[in-house]
Amino acid sequence: MNSPFTTHGALSWHELTASDSERAMRFYGEIFGWSFKKMQLPQGPYHIIENDGISIGGITDSPAPAMPSNWTGYITVKDIDAVAIKAKELGGDILFGPEDIPQVGRFCWIKDPCGAIIAAITYSSPKA
């Protein structure tokens, strides 16, 4: 079976930027049985979502509390820089990045021509 962390075009990670990450973790933990591991990053705490011991996403506090909470999907790509260029050529906007995430990979946020936002990522050490 192909891993979503190594398959170009696969949805590999889900991230919630929340107005209240503690409340969100209680909610999703109760509904789905998820557990969370806290990591301290320079910009604040980041909570890894685990489902049956497998890391599937993360939850973080919004840097702009007035911004509505939202989920972002991360799509695995072979070359993040090439994808960012192609997205712009096709009428999209790059909202953030490409930028490195130490020990994870390189990513960017893309806004498509219709206004929807998604993230793309090239993992530096793909998970199996």
Side-chain angles (χ1 to χ4, degrees):
M1 182 165 110
N2 291 335
S3 167
F5 297 101
T6 59
T7 303
H8 182 85
L11 182 61
S12 59
W13 194 255
H14 299 80
E15 187 171 82
L16 173 61
T17 303
S19 58
D20 183 342
S21 61
E22 295 295 326
R23 185 174 179 198
M25 287 186 293
R26 285 192 303 274
F27 178 81
Y28 290 109
E30 285 292 321
I31 290 177
F32 301 126
W34 291 346
S35 59
F36 306 91
K37 284 188 180 175
K38 183 177 180 179
M39 293 176 54
Q40 191 59 46
L41 301 177
Q43 63 272 27
Y46 188 84
H47 307 275
I48 302 292
I49 302 166
E50 291 196 340
N51 186 47
D52 287 335
I54 298 170
S55 299
I56 62 168
I59 296 178
T60 188
D61 284 319
S62 173
M67 184 176 90
S69 297
N70 61 71
W71 283 96
T72 303
Y74 282 73
I75 306 299
T76 300
V77 298
K78 293 177 184 170
D79 183 342
I80 191 64
D81 296 293
V83 165
I85 291 167
K86 187 69 169 179
K88 289 186 78 158
E89 288 173 356
L90 295 172
D93 290 318
I94 303 304
L95 301 178
F96 185 85
E99 183 172 294
D100 292 330
I101 305 170
Q103 301 176 346
V104 174
R106 188 165 170 79
F107 80 108
C108 70
W109 283 5
I110 300 167
K111 182 177 176 183
D112 74 19
C114 298
I117 298 170
I118 197 158
I121 186 165
T122 300
Y123 292 97
S124 55
S125 298
K127 302 173 186 182

